[in-house]
Amino acid sequence: QVQLIESGGGLVQAGGSLRLSCAASGRTFSLYSMGWFREAPGKEREFVAAFSQRGGTTNYGDTVKGRFTISRDNAKNTVYLQMNSLKPEDTAVYYCAATSLGALTTTRYYNYWGQGTQVTVSS
């Protein structure tokens, strides 16, 4: 069982930056691939980024490539999402998720989810 708690969301102006954190419980954090997804009102949950448990493989959604960076600190059981050059269309609830599989982009492969943190980007 893995419990995930996101933090770091908030209100920021377009062009600004935020860093989200996701703290995981348990001693086996390093065995899980970690992902970030987001869900805007009226839209489906969208893949943002993922970091594999081994080999350091990362994946990014097309809409955030070059602006967002995912990283993880296994010693702190934490995964981060650095978000730069934010746009109003990045406004959403951001969710952290864990899977025992690779750095996958589809929600159905993730077994554990956090409660989400709101990110609002004003124009």
Side-chain angles (χ1 to χ4, degrees):
Q1 189 77 8
V2 177
Q3 292 185 326
L4 305 172
I5 300 176
E6 302 98 334
S7 61
L11 174 64
V12 64
Q13 288 188 332
S17 298
L18 280 176
R19 188 176 81 155
L20 305 183
S21 299
C22 173
S25 64
R27 303 178 183 178
T28 58
F29 176 76
S30 62
L31 299 181
Y32 289 90
S33 293
M34 302 300 296
W36 287 97
F37 292 79
R38 66 187 183 186
E39 188 170 328
K43 295 187 177 181
E44 292 186 355
R45 194 163 293 190
E46 174 190 18
F47 170 73
V48 175
F51 199 126
S52 67
Q53 71 274 59
R54 294 185 180 91
T57 300
T58 56
N59 282 326
Y60 293 94
D62 289 340
T63 57
V64 306
K65 281 180 182 176
R67 300 188 297 124
F68 291 11
T69 303
I70 188 172
S71 61
R72 64 188 294 164
D73 185 337
N74 288 342
K76 295 182 178 180
N77 281 13
T78 301
V79 62
Y80 304 96
L81 185 68
Q82 178 66 45
M83 305 185 295
N84 298 330
S85 302
L86 283 162
K87 305 175 181 180
E89 50 264 45
D90 294 318
T91 296
V93 176
Y94 283 71
Y95 296 92
C96 172
T99 175
S100 58
L101 304 176
L104 301 176
T105 64
T106 307
T107 57
R108 63 188 176 100
Y109 293 114
Y110 287 81
N111 309 100
Y112 304 102
W113 293 84
Q115 82 289 350
T117 186
Q118 176 70 47
V119 171
T120 303
V121 184
S122 62
S123 57

